[in-house]
Amino acid sequence: MEKDTLTDVAIEPLVLPGSLEGPDAADFLDVVRIGNEAWRRASGTDLHDDDPAEMLVRWRETPYRVTHVVVARLDGRIVGAGRVEIDKTTRESAEIDVVLVEEHEEGPVAEALMAAVEALAHENGRTVLQAWTIHRPDPVERRLVPPTGAGWIPEDDPTTRLMRGAGFRLGQVERNSVFELNGSYEAVDRLLEQAVAAAGADYRPVWWAGPTPPEYADGYAAAIARMYTDVPVGDMVNEEASWDAGRVFERDERFAESGTLIGVTLVIHEPTGAVAAFNELTIGADRSRPTAQWGTLVMPEHRGHRLGAIVKCIGLKRWHERVPESPRVSTFNAEENRYMLDVNEVVGFVPASYAGAWEKKLA
């Protein structure tokens, strides 16, 4: 069969359907399926499957974010998709993603999608593209190491070749770790007891699942904003996004619409009332799926009190009580973030895959 050329590839915008049940939902569902299959091939797991209901709500424009999605067609069939996600409260950066069916993960279709995504970002005034790829943990001879010197991803890998061929630079490697929620909690209990004793009376933990209690919304929003400036990102661009109580409540509304549940652990610094640390766990409407951990952060001014262990351990214990059907938690941490990796390892997290963080600066 002759190789497809760029002229064979039709790049079109994806129109979001009104619902998953409507006759116009087929293309959207194809895109989610292709993305899930691509990440399963690359990671060797189903830990990172996106739920269509969550994606439909997430990709709708909000006062804070806008997502542009394009699809690649060959002979009328969708064979790939590209996404540009923009936080409206930032100025330079955009998160991008390109997913393809297996037979086109390299070549003209991939090249056309990457070019379309870059053009979309440029049209929207963005000059820094950032992307994440997923990789199996299997040992390989040829390894690509980021400037941080911590971790590696396979050099001879379809997604690695695609990103490098498009002019992206590897900036960081993250470890994807998994904790079995139906296993032993002896290590969790022991670490939590030690951490609470070390933190002392100045620090008070708080936990909830579902909508954010109004009394914690301002502090929680301020803590989320710190994720953009206070987590390890190597030498990649790290713009601060704007978060306030209104944005937290707007996110809660979207979660409720899609059936997503979030569990949040905070540690409050009693003398000031500030949020000193936080942890987030989320799951879609199917509570039998793996849980995703989102943000975990100890504010720099409160480090050294073992607060990371407190939010991690309380979150795991309370989450398992609240969502007993979920079999495991999946989390990502920068390979140079030794403190949090140490906490994870003591608790019982084990590596499942690795992610490459990529960046390209547009002229």
Side-chain angles (χ1 to χ4, degrees):
M1 185 173 68
E2 293 185 4
K3 185 177 180 180
D4 297 311
T5 66
L6 286 176
T7 56
D8 297 325
V9 183
I11 304 295
E12 307 167 354
L14 176 70
V15 178
L16 292 183
S19 73
L20 297 180
E21 293 74 32
D24 58 345
D27 286 353
F28 171 79
L29 292 172
D30 262 355
V31 167
V32 176
R33 175 186 55 79
I34 289 169
N36 288 343
E37 290 175 353
W39 274 61
R40 285 189 181 198
R41 286 197 309 274
S43 69
T45 79
D46 66 352
L47 289 169
H48 314 295
D49 282 7
D50 286 326
D51 177 78
E54 287 185 278
M55 290 301 98
L56 182 57
V57 173
R58 179 178 176 83
W59 289 353
R60 290 176 184 155
E61 185 170 0
T62 78
Y64 308 100
R65 300 183 75 87
V66 61
T67 301
H68 303 279
V69 183
V70 293
V71 299
R73 292 187 191 270
L74 278 175
D75 298 323
R77 170 185 168 227
I78 294 179
V79 294
R83 171 180 59 85
V84 178
E85 191 163 312
I86 295 172
D87 188 314
K88 296 179 182 179
T89 71
T90 63
R91 301 181 63 182
E92 296 181 290
S93 58
E95 179 180 326
I96 70 106
D97 186 38
V98 170
V99 293
L100 298 121
V101 298
E102 186 171 12
E103 63 266 35
H104 293 291
E105 58 189 7
E106 294 184 88
V109 175
E111 294 165 11
L113 269 177
M114 290 295 288
V117 162
E118 182 173 323
L120 263 175
H122 191 267
E123 290 167 9
N124 282 272
R126 300 290 153 149
T127 56
V128 179
L129 306 186
Q130 296 176 331
W132 281 260
T133 56
I134 196 75
H135 307 267
R136 297 176 185 235
D138 308 334
V140 295
E141 290 186 7
R142 298 177 60 187
R143 302 178 175 185
L144 186 61
V145 178
T148 63
W152 55 269
I153 61 172
E155 184 176 355
D156 190 22
D157 178 281
T159 52
T160 300
R161 291 192 294 267
L162 176 62
M163 298 307 294
R164 296 179 81 180
F168 282 77
R169 179 184 64 91
L170 181 67
Q172 187 182 55
V173 169
E174 295 185 350
R175 182 188 303 184
N176 171 222
S177 304
V178 172
F179 176 82
E180 297 297 329
L181 286 165
N182 294 313
S184 171
Y185 282 77
E186 289 183 10
V188 176
D189 291 334
R190 184 166 53 251
L191 182 60
L192 178 58
E193 182 179 1
Q194 295 168 354
V196 168
D202 279 353
Y203 294 98
R204 172 175 59 92
V206 174
W207 184 88
W208 72 82
T212 306
E215 63 269 29
Y216 296 119
D218 288 327
Y220 178 34
I224 294 173
R226 297 286 291 273
M227 282 291 295
Y228 294 82
T229 56
D230 295 338
V231 296
V233 294
D235 62 353
M236 296 174 66
V237 172
N238 197 25
E239 287 191 276
E240 183 175 3
S242 177
W243 278 80
D244 57 18
R247 185 166 184 175
V248 169
F249 293 144
E250 186 273 336
R251 189 182 70 170
D252 286 345
E253 292 174 0
R254 287 189 285 111
F255 284 163
E257 181 181 355
S258 65
T260 301
L261 180 68
I262 184 168
V264 179
T265 309
L266 305 182
V267 171
I268 307 298
H269 183 234
E270 292 283 53
T272 63
V275 174
F278 80 100
N279 171 270
E280 301 166 315
L281 298 172
T282 70
I283 194 167
D286 182 355
R287 304 292 198 254
S288 67
R289 291 285 304 147
T291 292
Q293 179 178 284
W294 283 7
T296 298
L297 181 68
V298 178
M299 310 309 150
E301 61 270 25
H302 293 285
R303 289 175 184 168
H305 301 282
R306 305 195 70 179
L307 305 185
I310 291 176
V311 295
K312 176 79 69 171
C313 293
I314 289 178
L316 291 173
K317 287 172 61 69
R318 296 298 300 273
W319 187 257
H320 183 49
E321 295 167 0
R322 180 65 176 79
V323 193
E325 312 97 305
S326 183
R328 57 192 58 90
V329 170
S330 168
T331 185
F332 287 86
N333 300 96
E335 272 292 320
E336 65 267 32
N337 190 355
R338 193 62 249 176
Y339 169 76
M340 193 53 69
L341 290 176
D342 284 344
V343 171
N344 286 346
E345 290 165 2
V346 169
V347 165
F349 280 84
V350 296
S353 59
Y354 291 87
W358 300 85
E359 185 172 86
K360 179 178 182 178
K361 295 181 180 179
L362 304 179

